[in-house]
Amino acid sequence: MPFFPDIPKIQFEGPKSKNPFAFKQYNPDEVIAGKSMREQFRFAAAYWHVMRNGLADPFGGPTALMPWDDQSNSVDNALKRADVFFEFINKMDIDYYCWHDRDISPELNDLSKSNAALEKVTDHLLGLQKEHGKKLLWGTACLFAHPRYSQGAGTSPSAEVFAYGAAQIKAAMDATMKLGGEGYTFWGGREGYSTLLNTDMKRELDHLAALLHLAVDYAKTIDFKGQFYIEPKPREPSTHQYDSDSAACLNFLRQYDLMDHFKLNLETNHATLAGHTMLHEMTVAIDANALGSVDANQGDELIGWDTDQFPTDIYLTTSIMMKVLEMGGFTTGGLNFDAKRRRESHDPSDLFHAHIGGMDAFARGLKIAAAIREDGRLQNFVDKRYESWNSGIGAKIESKSISLAQINDHVLATGEPTLTSGRQEMLENLINDFI
Ligand code: XLS
Ligand code: NI
Ligand code: NI
C-alpha cells in the first residue's frame, strides 16, 4: 500500500505547467553541457531529513506528520521507514540517497545489538535498492547525537569514547560497502571545543587524524573503493569546530598526510556560517583538486544558524553549477539535499514540494551556467584581466626566471604601471542578462 497515496510520480511538464507536483525545469533526460541533467546533478535525498526530522526547533517539539512512524526505536519501525523512503525517492525520481547509520537503524546502547539491527536494516535497504534501481551516494556514522559523544568522538578527551566511535565507523563503513556506496563522509559533528581551558587542541587534532587514517587503512582491508569526504562546518554544535571551512580542512589533510584519500563535501549553509560564499568554498576546494560532493541547501541571511533550507535561489544554484561545470562535473559525488522543510510545512506532501523546488532551481542554474560558459564573455574578461602574466615580466615571474634585482631594473626602465577597471558592475549585469 502506498504511503503517499495522493501523490503521483513527479514528471517534467515544462515551464508552462501549473501543476505543483511536476517539474517545470528539471527534465532528467535533457542534455545540458554534454550530459543529461540526471547525470550532471546525481541528486540524492538525505535520509535524516526526509525520514527522521520531525521539524522540532529549540522552542518547540516536532510538527511533521509521519503517519507511518510508530515513534518506537524498533527494527520493525526502521524497516517500515525504509519502505516509505523508497516510495518517496521513486516518486521524486531521485537516484541516490545518503544516511547516517543511526538514521536508518536504531541506536540500542549496546554496540553488538546496534550492529545486528544495522545488519537487518541494510539487508532490507539492499533489496529495495535493487528493486528500484537506486544507489547510495555516501554513508556516514552519527558520532554526535548520543550523550557519549557530547565531548566529541575522534576528539574526545576519553580514549574509550574514541574507540567506541571508531568501532561505530567500522560498522558504518561495512554497511556502506555492502550497499555499494560511492563515498563515505566524515562530518565532525562535535569535533571541536567549547573552551580551551579544558582542551588540548594539538592532541585532539592528532587523534582526529589518527581516526581518519584508521578508516583509510580499514577501507583497504575490505576493498572499499569509495571516495572519503570531509564536510567543513565552522560552528554548531561546537563553538569552535576544527573542520571550519575548506581552507582549514585542506590544511588539516595536508598536515596529516591525508590529501590522497579525502575530498571535500561542501554544504552551502556551512559556507555562509563560515563567513564565505559557497562560490568561495568551491573555488578553494577545486583549486586543490579536492571538491568531491555538495550538500545542497541554503541558509537564511536573517538567522545566524544552520537552517538547512531547500535551495531556491537561482543566483546561488547558477554559481554552484558554474563551478561544477568548471571542474568537469561530479565523479563520485553529487548534489545531496541536506535540507529540511520549515517547521510550518508539516505535511508529507511538503517533502515533495521542497525537493521539486530544489531540483527545479538547480535545473535552471545549470541551464544558465551552461549558457554563460557557452557565451564565453565572462571567461574572456577574466583571461584578459590577467594577460600581463602571459608574456614579458609576468611570464618571467611565473616561471621563476627573474631575480628581485632584475625586477627592479625593469620597473626603473618602464615606470608607473597602468591598471584596467575590474568592471564588477558590468559583469554583474552580464550575469543578470542570462538569469
Ligand atoms: C550537519 C551536517 C550533516 C552532515 C552529515 O550540519 O550537514 O548533516 O551532512 O553528517
Ligand atoms: Ni551536510
Ligand atoms: Ni548542515
Side-chain angles (χ1 to χ4, degrees), residues 48-49 187 231-233 236 267-270 273 295 297 306-308 338-339:
W48 54 100
H49 284 307
W187 167 58
E231 182 177 326
K233 184 173 183 180
E236 187 203 310
E267 177 168 323
T268 315
N269 206 161
H270 298 181
L273 283 176
D295 271 5
N297 63 17
D306 192 13
T307 55
D308 282 345
D338 192 352

